[in-house]
DNA sequence: TCTGGGGTCCTAGGACCC
DNA sequence: TCTGGGGTCCTAGGACCC
């Protein structure tokens, strides 16, 4: 069996920990740059506020209903997420942290008599220890656990825990669910399925897999197997290293000069390098892109892939190549909105093929990079950084309504009033 | 006054080479 | 005179996830 623990409206729930007065009230959290709404509390959803809509379009509606709005505070959410995972580990030895608000577990059989009680205990513990509400889904496969989790949140009588053990329970839920509710089936595929007469998850589970395979791909075939209780996706405690690593951001304000864009791209390259070193890998190719807003007129978007001089994770090399590339992509007379750096063709550091005739990354580079990472992990990100990233950062993102970093920064520690 | 997220993986199609 | 295969690299864009 697999369990999936998923935090309810995670970013909103994080904000509510420190603002208990906002519990039961409509709350939304915005994406980077205060661009879109990316999290809505139950009450905000009930007001009909859509997901991933631009904030400025919905501002009047939000004001009208007195919705509380927060900019995203990823440092805080990351810390709360780690606390939730710590609690989950008290209930399972095998945990896959799937995203910041979701973890798969292999439930320990008979720990609380039955799975229903097991789920309830986890839910209670996370609320008690972290003050985050969660839903729990337990079933034979990950895909079914995902679906059960959705049901746990939607159907009140389930009390936030949904267990699919018996055949009739599985059929009941699959008949209720649409194909687009199934993990791995997006809007595009669900539309094509509908044209084939496949509407519910139950229809999908009973479809001809061979036919689906020719029309779609292996992934969908696996999904069908999983819906039928045949486990194809294992619990991945150590997710495999990324094959591509990206860092892309919209600028706080549109940029028309090269210099600030170069600084931003230097920062993105450096962030991508941090991620690369974390998974002990080197990159041989880099992708850099620059674009104006796709919504405006006269849209300009260009990317370039560059071969690095040798497989590397050295921030200085990454920055040098990324800033060179961005200078080539840059054109005068445009209002640029976004840029990004991607590291592609990633190989494990331990099995790099060395070339007799070209230089490889030096030991000195390795030492310097690990020193920088250590310092930044002890004293805070950006304690040491490359000057190319700039110090003024006029292009950095807009966050008008960010809450304090309560549990992450000493100076933001909440105060308890004594009366 | 203006405003529209970020990350990963995959594939189609064009250009070029032998 | 006309026609032809196969591989690699690059770019753009689709699809899905949170």
């Amino acid at each position: 069996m697999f369990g999936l623990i998923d935090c309810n409206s995670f970013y909103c729930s994080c904000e509510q920990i420190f603002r208990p007065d906002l519990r039961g009230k409509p709350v939304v959290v915005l994406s980077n740059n205060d661009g879109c709404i990316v999290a809505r509390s139950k009450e905000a959803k009930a007001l009909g506020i859509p997901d991933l809509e631009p904030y400025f379009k919905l501002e009047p509606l939000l004001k009208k209903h007195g919705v509380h709005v927060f900019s995203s505070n990823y440092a805080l959410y990351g810390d709360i997420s780690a606390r939730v995972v710590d609690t989950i580990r008290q209930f399972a030895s095998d945990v896959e942290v799937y995203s910041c608000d979701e973890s798969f577990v292999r439930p320990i059989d008979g720990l609380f008599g039955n799975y229903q009680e097991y789920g309830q205990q986890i839910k209670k513990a996370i609320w008690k220890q972290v003050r985050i509400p969660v839903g729990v889904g337990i079933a034979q496969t990950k895909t079914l656990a995902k679906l059960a989790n959705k049901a746990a949140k939607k159907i009140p009588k389930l009390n936030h825990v949904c267990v699919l053990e018996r055949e009739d329970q599985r059929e009941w839920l699959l008949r209720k669910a649409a194909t687009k509710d199934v993990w791995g089936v997006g809007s595009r595929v669900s539309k094509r399925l509908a044209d084939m007469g496949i509407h519910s998850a139950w229809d999908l589970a009973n479809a001809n897999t061979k036919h689906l395979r020719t029309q779609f791909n292996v992934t969908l075939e696996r999904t069908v197997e999983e819906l039928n209780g045949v486990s194809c996706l294992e619990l991945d405690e150590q997710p495999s290293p990324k094959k591509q690593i990206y860092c892309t951001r919209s600028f706080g304000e549109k940029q028309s000069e090269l210099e600030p864009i170069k600084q931003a791209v230097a920062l993105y390259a450096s962030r991508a390098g941090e991620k690369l070193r974390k998974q002990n890998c080197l990159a041989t190719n880099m992708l850099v892109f620059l674009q104006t807003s796709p919504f405006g007129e006269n849209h300009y978007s260009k990317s370039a892939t560059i071969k690095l001089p040798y497989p590397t994770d050295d921030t200085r090399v990454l920055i040098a190549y990324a800033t060179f590339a961005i200078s080539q992509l840059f054109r005068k007379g445009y209002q640029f909105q976004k840029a990004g750096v991607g590291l592609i063709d990633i190989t494990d550091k331990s099995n790099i093929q060395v070339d007799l005739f070209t230089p490889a990354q030096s030991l000195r580079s390795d030492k310097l990079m690990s020193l920088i990472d250590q310092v930044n992990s002890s004293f805070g990100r950006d304690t040491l950084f490359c000057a190319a990233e700039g110090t003024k950062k006029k292009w950095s993102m807009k966050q008008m309504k960010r809450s304090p970093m309560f549990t992450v920064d000493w100076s933001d520690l909440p105060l308890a009033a004594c009366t």
Side-chain angles (χ1 to χ4, degrees):
Chain A
M1 297 292 273
F2 293 87
L4 175 67
I5 298 116
D6 186 317
C7 303
N8 301 349
S9 316
F10 182 57
Y11 297 167
C12 293
S13 298
C14 288
E15 299 293 348
Q16 285 168 325
I17 294 176
F18 303 94
R19 291 288 306 276
D21 58 305
L22 296 183
R23 287 197 193 287
K25 303 232 168 91
V27 175
V28 300
V29 175
L30 307 176
S31 65
N32 275 343
N33 259 326
D34 295 344
C36 290
I37 292 175
V38 289
R40 303 159 295 157
S41 71
K42 201 171 68 190
E43 296 74 17
K45 285 174 194 168
L47 287 173
I49 294 163
D51 198 18
L52 289 177
E53 273 294 304
Y55 171 52
F56 74 91
K57 280 191 182 172
L58 288 173
E59 218 176 342
L61 181 69
L62 299 172
K63 277 213 172 110
K64 188 178 138 204
H65 292 291
V67 178
H68 295 264
V69 180
F70 290 93
S71 301
S72 41
N73 186 344
Y74 290 115
L76 179 68
Y77 309 152
D79 183 65
I80 302 300
S81 169
R83 289 165 196 247
V84 171
V85 172
D86 283 346
T87 306
I88 291 172
R89 288 193 194 281
Q90 296 163 13
F91 292 85
S93 47
D94 302 335
V95 179
E96 173 187 342
V97 180
Y98 176 68
S99 76
C100 68
D101 70 332
E102 284 176 67
S103 290
F104 285 103
V105 297
R106 201 177 285 291
I108 297 170
D109 209 8
L111 185 57
F112 293 100
N114 62 49
Y115 289 124
Q116 178 59 234
E117 187 54 26
Y118 179 81
Q120 290 294 342
Q121 291 296 330
I122 294 184
K123 184 191 84 175
K124 277 185 200 155
I126 296 173
W127 175 254
K128 186 171 177 198
Q129 296 175 26
V130 200
R131 278 288 185 268
I132 289 284
V134 301
V136 182
I138 299 177
Q140 284 164 302
T141 66
K142 284 172 125 181
T143 305
L144 285 172
K146 267 276 205 187
L147 210 54
N149 187 289
K150 266 196 183 171
K153 292 184 178 187
K154 262 196 195 157
I155 304 170
K157 69 168 185 198
L158 292 174
N159 196 17
H160 308 286
V161 176
C162 175
V163 181
L164 302 181
E165 269 180 296
R166 296 192 317 269
E167 187 50 31
D168 60 307
Q169 296 170 322
R170 185 179 73 90
E171 181 174 342
W172 166 79
L173 184 58
L174 292 191
R175 283 190 185 279
K176 268 176 118 62
T179 54
K180 69 166 187 337
D181 295 331
V182 175
W183 189 33
V185 179
S187 58
R188 212 47 188 254
V189 168
S190 78
K191 259 188 208 127
R192 282 176 59 196
L193 287 171
D195 292 341
M196 297 163 67
I198 298 171
H199 301 282
S200 68
W202 181 251
D203 296 339
L204 182 59
N206 289 291
N208 181 333
T209 39
K210 286 216 176 88
H211 182 57
L212 285 181
R213 168 112 191 223
T214 57
Q215 295 289 307
F216 298 90
N217 51 32
V218 204
T219 333
L220 189 68
E221 194 184 6
R222 263 188 222 134
T223 300
V224 173
E225 294 282 1
E226 286 248 320
L227 287 176
N228 284 307
V230 180
S231 179
C232 303
L233 304 168
E234 281 311 301
L235 197 79
D236 221 352
E237 290 184 74
Q238 254 124 23
S240 46
K242 304 260 178 292
K243 294 175 186 165
Q244 305 185 343
I245 291 174
Y246 280 82
C247 180
T248 75
R249 295 268 180 288
S250 303
F251 307 127
E253 286 167 14
K254 303 258 188 296
Q255 299 295 322
S256 52
E257 297 298 320
L258 176 58
E259 214 37 51
I261 292 175
K262 267 170 101 170
Q263 288 181 5
V265 164
L267 173 69
Y268 305 159
S270 146
R271 289 277 186 265
E274 282 168 18
K275 292 189 206 170
L276 184 65
R277 295 196 291 276
K278 222 173 217 167
Q279 64 171 40
N280 264 313
C281 287
L282 303 175
T284 45
N285 270 305
M286 173 188 268
L287 185 140
V288 179
F289 75 83
L290 180 64
Q291 66 179 42
T292 62
S293 166
F295 302 101
E297 292 171 6
N298 201 10
H299 178 53
Y300 173 90
S301 168
K302 205 153 175 61
S303 74
T305 47
I306 322 131
K307 196 161 172 56
L308 296 163
Y310 43 81
T312 183
D313 64 4
D314 187 325
T315 300
R316 297 166 302 172
V317 179
L318 299 178
I319 288 182
Y321 279 72
T323 49
F324 173 75
I326 206 78
S327 316
Q328 305 293 306
L329 297 178
F330 180 80
R331 297 280 178 280
K332 265 249 169 279
Y334 287 99
Q335 296 281 312
F336 289 105
Q337 171 251 0
K338 182 177 184 177
V341 172
L343 301 175
I344 49 184
D345 294 329
I346 289 173
T347 21
D348 199 286
K349 211 166 177 173
S350 58
N351 51 29
I352 279 293
Q353 285 282 344
V354 287
D355 184 322
L356 192 57
F357 302 104
T358 50
Q361 178 161 297
S362 70
L363 221 55
R364 285 168 58 91
S365 284
D366 288 344
K367 280 187 182 165
L368 180 63
M369 289 307 120
S370 71
L371 181 80
I372 290 176
D373 289 337
Q374 274 173 44
V375 168
N376 285 340
S377 117
S378 304
F379 298 98
R381 193 183 234 184
D382 294 334
T383 305
L384 289 177
F385 63 94
C386 285
E389 296 167 28
T391 50
K392 291 219 175 101
K393 305 200 193 317
K394 282 203 312 208
W395 37 269
S396 67
M397 66 177 145
K398 224 170 22 185
Q399 288 191 307
M400 302 296 281
K401 298 163 183 291
R402 212 201 63 217
S403 52
M405 310 225 189
F406 296 109
T407 61
V408 187
D409 192 322
W410 285 112
S411 56
D412 284 352
L413 213 55
L415 298 176
C418 301
T419 50

